Amino acid sequence: MARRAAAATIAVSCCLAVAGCSTPPPREDPPEMADPEPDAIRMAAVGDSITDGDSRDFAGGVPGPQSWVSYAVGPEVDFVGGWAEWGASAEAMAQGVTGPFDADVLVILAGTNDAAWTPHEEVGRHLADITETAEIDEVVLSSIPPNAFSLGGAAELNSSLEDLAHQQDWVWVDSAADLRDGDGYADEMSYDGIHPTEAGARVIGEAIGEAVRDSAASRNAD
């Protein structure tokens, strides 16, 4: 009996540490967004629940208010779709992305469902596979936000992801920097210690949007 109880405790703990164990929120209409300009940067995105949020049709280019994508777009950045699912690991993302995206820049925010248990090298291989399948040369790799059930794991993975971005010549953005308080979320930035609120999604999105614009400007200057 004790062994069974211990096993159950471990299973529950593992489940809490994985974003996919949370129930997705009701799907919402996207917030009001400025129309993109004709020459706007075409952005695709790949991620998990942090990226999907409460989107009605993420793959079709319709992000929800709890998706950071809603706050990365604007006159200069046009979201053209991508792939994001709740609970997705980096491996699931690599398997889910099955064809190229018609975009100028690919943003990847991956690892919340890998932190502390998937070897960092394995995560890196899956992310490289995603970029090869997407067939987009310009890649922006984002940090993952805090995870209340794996604080050290999230921080360690972010360090590895930053190294990976430099090795692959991708753009690195610590989009979660301004929503952290130490290793955790700052007040009002998360509703469960894993997923950002709309305010937290805005922090991530604005940082990623700036990185996308800077990346495109640098590319054009070259």
Side-chain angles (χ1 to χ4, degrees):
M1 183 68 69
R3 182 178 301 175
R4 184 177 302 172
T9 300
I10 292 172
V12 170
S13 298
C14 291
C15 185
L16 288 172
V18 179
C21 288
S22 297
T23 302
R27 299 301 178 174
E28 300 289 346
D29 292 328
E32 288 190 18
M33 295 179 282
D35 292 333
E37 298 171 349
D39 60 347
I41 305 158
R42 293 169 60 79
M43 180 188 78
V46 172
D48 50 32
S49 56
I50 308 298
T51 296
D52 183 57
D54 53 358
S55 303
R56 285 196 180 276
D57 183 13
F58 187 86
V62 185
Q66 289 183 14
S67 169
W68 60 261
V69 173
S70 295
Y71 312 103
V73 298
E76 298 176 275
V77 180
D78 183 19
F79 177 53
V80 297
W83 191 97
E85 288 188 1
W86 278 64
S89 63
E91 181 179 12
M93 294 177 204
Q95 294 173 347
V97 177
T98 57
F101 296 130
D102 182 13
D104 303 311
V105 178
L106 172 65
V107 178
I108 301 176
L109 199 166
T112 291
N113 297 296
D114 295 284
W117 47 87
T118 304
H120 296 169
E121 296 79 6
E122 182 178 334
V123 173
R125 288 195 299 273
H126 294 313
L127 301 192
D129 288 343
I130 291 169
T131 64
E132 290 181 10
T133 305
E135 296 184 8
I136 301 174
D137 293 332
E138 199 70 22
V139 177
V140 173
L141 181 61
S142 171
S143 63
I144 63 172
N147 183 327
F149 303 98
S150 181
L151 294 177
E156 290 174 4
L157 180 57
N158 277 333
S159 178
S160 177
L161 292 175
E162 183 175 8
D163 289 342
L164 174 68
H166 295 321
Q167 293 165 10
Q168 297 285 346
D169 199 24
W170 299 339
V171 174
W172 167 255
V173 57
D174 185 8
S175 67
D178 288 341
L179 53 71
R180 292 193 199 100
D181 182 3
D183 285 337
Y185 274 100
D187 291 343
E188 300 182 0
M189 291 290 106
S190 175
Y191 59 86
D192 62 359
I194 300 174
H195 300 93
T197 58
E198 288 185 30
R202 181 180 293 276
V203 168
I204 294 173
E206 289 179 349
I208 289 177
E210 182 178 357
V212 168
R213 293 189 297 272
D214 290 347
S215 174
S218 175
R219 181 186 67 232
N220 293 335
D222 294 339

